[in-house]
Amino acid sequence: MVDDSGWYNGYNPKKRKDNFKELKRLVAIGELAAASGPCALCGDPDVPVEYHNEDYGIAPFIGVEPALFALCRNCHRDKLHKRFWRHSAWRAYIAHVRRGGYARDLKEKSIKKEIEAFRIAIERGESPALPELRPYTRKIGSEWFANLRMDPESRSDPTARPRP
């Protein structure tokens, strides 16, 4: 197991902390707008969002993609960062997003049960399908999250960064 305490995409905890301080400073002085929706992962337009940084090495710090994404808390903390240990859950969640699903939909027991069954099917090597919930307008496979690495080692591996 990798000691990943605070590492992400090859960036150490100090670099990430310094970047977060700069993010907060820029928001406080009005040079960067506070995070606003919709969620850049699930697309939900009606939830509070927070910033997620995929690339801490862009200098000077910028508040735009591919460095910074506004994500709802569920996508950010429960889905995206846990993908390293919950591969099939991540894949099932992405399938849910691609059927027009929002993170908040998982509060519904029937949808949560459906996603769990999908996750189990993936683990069995099956290729299940989910019914559409809402239209999905992004091109599947070209989304920013489509090819993120999921191995725990990528947290401390500089080659995991979204750019060279």
Side-chain angles (χ1 to χ4, degrees):
M1 182 68 141
V2 171
D3 177 18
D4 64 4
S5 51
W7 283 80
Y8 192 78
N9 285 345
Y11 296 102
N12 66 45
K14 182 183 181 326
K15 176 68 175 166
R16 293 182 68 215
K17 184 178 180 182
D18 291 347
N19 186 274
F20 186 65
K21 282 182 185 176
E22 179 64 2
L23 168 69
K24 287 180 13 181
R25 186 188 76 78
L26 291 173
V27 170
I29 65 171
E31 285 189 30
L32 179 64
S36 61
C39 174
L41 204 161
C42 74
D44 191 337
D46 298 320
V47 292
V49 292
E50 59 193 23
Y51 282 124
H52 164 73
N53 200 333
E54 271 299 303
D55 192 339
Y56 294 87
I58 294 177
F61 176 82
I62 59 169
V64 297
E65 297 175 9
L68 211 55
F69 296 92
L71 304 178
C72 68
R73 180 171 259 188
N74 193 322
C75 282
H76 187 204
R77 299 181 186 192
D78 189 50
K79 305 299 183 222
L80 183 68
H81 283 288
K82 292 182 180 178
R83 75 184 189 272
F84 302 106
W85 299 276
R86 297 169 41 192
H87 296 181
S88 59
W90 172 251
R91 286 194 284 277
Y93 185 66
I94 294 306
H96 170 68
V97 166
R98 288 175 172 162
R99 71 168 176 165
Y102 298 151
R104 67 181 153 109
D105 295 330
L106 299 177
K107 292 177 184 175
E108 293 183 34
K109 287 182 183 181
S110 62
I111 291 179
K112 191 173 185 176
K113 187 176 179 180
E114 198 174 46
I115 298 304
E116 179 61 13
F118 188 93
R119 182 192 66 77
I120 291 168
I122 289 172
E123 288 179 356
R124 291 182 182 148
E126 300 169 11
S127 299
L130 291 169
E132 182 180 70
L133 291 177
R134 297 172 190 88
Y136 187 70
T137 58
R138 295 182 245 181
K139 183 179 177 197
I140 292 177
S142 65
E143 309 100 334
W144 69 270
F145 53 82
N147 297 305
L148 293 177
R149 284 178 53 184
M150 296 190 295
D151 56 299
E153 294 78 16
S154 70
R155 294 187 73 167
S156 57
D157 180 359
T159 65
R161 297 172 182 172
R163 65 179 174 84

